[in-house]
Amino acid sequence: MAPVPKSPGGEPIWPNGVLGSLAHDYRVAVAAVGSSEDLEGVGIDVEPAENLSADLLQLVTTSRERARIDSDPYQGRLFFVAKEAAYKAVYPLDHVLLDHHDIEVDLANQQAIVRNGRIVELRFCISSHLVALAFILS
Ligand SMILES: CC(C)(COP(=O)(O)OP(=O)(O)OC[C@H]1O[C@@H](n2cnc3c(N)ncnc32)[C@H](O)[C@@H]1OP(=O)(O)O)[C@@H](O)C(=O)NCCC(=O)NCCS
């Protein structure tokens, strides 16, 4: 066992050779952990499986994403969870604070593109909650 302290930027500090990400709400906690031999970055997020409000939808999604909102049965929530997971995957690499509009999510291709050009792979799990896993392979 080893402690996983938190950096000033908020991301967990994993033992050498390990990459991971954490997320929690009041009911559910999730973690993704892998080897730095396989992964350059990994992020995870969890959200209730509920539609996003109209206000939040505007805040979180770009106009291009809203044009494809039909691909999200949760009307924006999948975009939200994907962006937070992607942010957690790239922050430890770039140390740049990102806005939701700095990440463009393509649900059909399960990818997110960050404004600096990084491409992050996405996978989803949907049950009582939506879980997004974001990763960049080595
Ligand atoms: C990182 C962030 C997205 C976490 O979201 P949250 O809904 O508050 O909380 P979650 O349960 O999903 O995740 C919390 C965990 O994320 C991890 N985390 C926090 N900051 C992180 C960062 N900069 N990079 C990677 N992981 C981070 C920590 O392990 C944290 O666990 P802890 O609270 O037990 O220490 C949010 O706090 C944040 O820093 N936002 C600023 C940037 C932003 O939101 N941009 C819009 C999305 S692109």
Side-chain angles (χ1 to χ4, degrees):
M1 275 213 325
V4 180
K6 193 168 167 161
S7 81
E11 79 265 35
I13 302 171
W14 299 93
N16 279 345
V18 177
L19 283 186
S21 182
L22 309 171
H24 39 80
D25 75 355
Y26 66 97
R27 280 187 53 208
V28 175
V30 291
V33 180
S35 162
S36 58
E37 283 182 16
D38 305 322
L39 294 165
E40 205 178 322
V42 64
I44 197 162
D45 195 43
V46 60
E47 284 285 317
E50 296 164 2
N51 290 1
L52 219 53
S53 69
D55 288 357
L56 265 179
L57 185 66
Q58 287 288 330
L59 198 72
V60 165
T61 55
T62 64
S63 54
R64 191 155 34 160
E65 288 168 338
R66 282 194 296 281
R68 297 189 303 233
I69 200 79
D70 286 350
S71 58
D72 176 4
Y74 296 96
Q75 294 296 297
R77 186 73 71 167
L78 276 178
F79 287 99
F80 185 83
V81 71
K83 288 179 189 217
E84 301 248 322
Y87 174 73
K88 290 182 196 174
V90 300
Y91 183 86
L93 298 170
D94 301 328
H95 294 104
V96 173
L97 188 64
L98 296 171
D99 181 69
H100 289 103
H101 288 221
D102 293 327
I103 300 178
E104 184 94 22
V105 170
D106 180 345
L107 290 180
N109 289 309
Q110 299 194 101
Q111 282 188 336
I113 302 175
V114 183
R115 77 160 185 231
N116 65 2
R118 271 193 196 283
I119 297 181
V120 182
E121 299 297 325
L122 296 169
R123 299 294 182 270
F124 297 95
C125 168
I126 300 176
S127 58
S128 67
H129 282 63
L130 308 178
V131 178
L133 174 70
F135 59 94
I136 305 163
L137 292 176
S138 293

